[in-house]
Amino acid sequence: MAAIVAAVLLSPITSAMSADASAVPPAQTQNGITYVTGGIGQPESTAMESVAGQYALMMTFARDDGAFVAAVDVSITDQQGSSVLDLVSGPILLVDLPDGTYKIRASFAGAPEVRTTTIGAEPQRLAYTWPATGDG
């Protein structure tokens, strides 16, 4: 019985560790910055989570009811105000930024959220949430 309980408790860890890296969308580059956007569906989101540590920044986009959202307008500027990245993202965005401080504007359904983050030795994670509209 203890073996069954242990197997059930460890199964989420095992599935995350065995995520199929081929489910990660292809990396793209803009202004010399490498990024991956996606996370539609469980296999893709699990795979992106498994490689997130290889990127300086992981962002997730969701409603406050927990549902992930896509078609998020994201713009990242450096300390000088220069545009570093400007794209439309899926529910997860992985970005390999050089060390520094960045202002990140994420807008979903016309509602912007702005954050500042500092990239350094440890990967950063930012979770953006918007109110659920009640339409589904």
Side-chain angles (χ1 to χ4, degrees):
M1 184 63 148
I4 294 171
V5 171
V8 169
L9 292 175
L10 291 175
S11 64
I13 296 168
T14 304
S15 66
M17 290 172 58
S18 65
D20 182 2
S22 69
V24 175
Q28 301 176 59
T29 303
Q30 185 182 113
N31 298 326
I33 303 298
T34 301
Y35 68 93
V36 176
T37 181
I40 305 289
Q42 189 64 44
E44 192 172 282
S45 61
T46 300
M48 289 183 74
E49 175 76 30
S50 74
V51 300
Q54 299 171 22
Y55 290 83
L57 177 63
M58 176 181 181
M59 290 179 272
T60 57
F61 308 108
R63 298 186 318 203
D64 59 8
D65 64 2
F68 281 107
V69 297
V72 178
D73 293 313
V74 178
S75 69
I76 301 175
T77 55
D78 63 18
Q79 282 183 297
Q80 292 73 38
S82 299
S83 178
V84 174
L85 200 59
D86 195 10
L87 58 94
V88 176
S89 181
I92 300 173
L93 177 60
L94 307 174
V95 186
D96 198 16
L97 293 166
D99 290 358
T101 300
Y102 298 89
K103 183 167 133 181
I104 303 165
R105 181 181 189 274
S107 182
F108 174 69
E113 278 196 37
V114 179
R115 309 257 178 88
T116 301
T117 192
T118 300
I119 302 298
E122 294 295 318
Q124 299 295 306
R125 289 181 178 230
L126 296 176
Y128 288 81
T129 58
W130 289 271
T133 59
D135 61 2

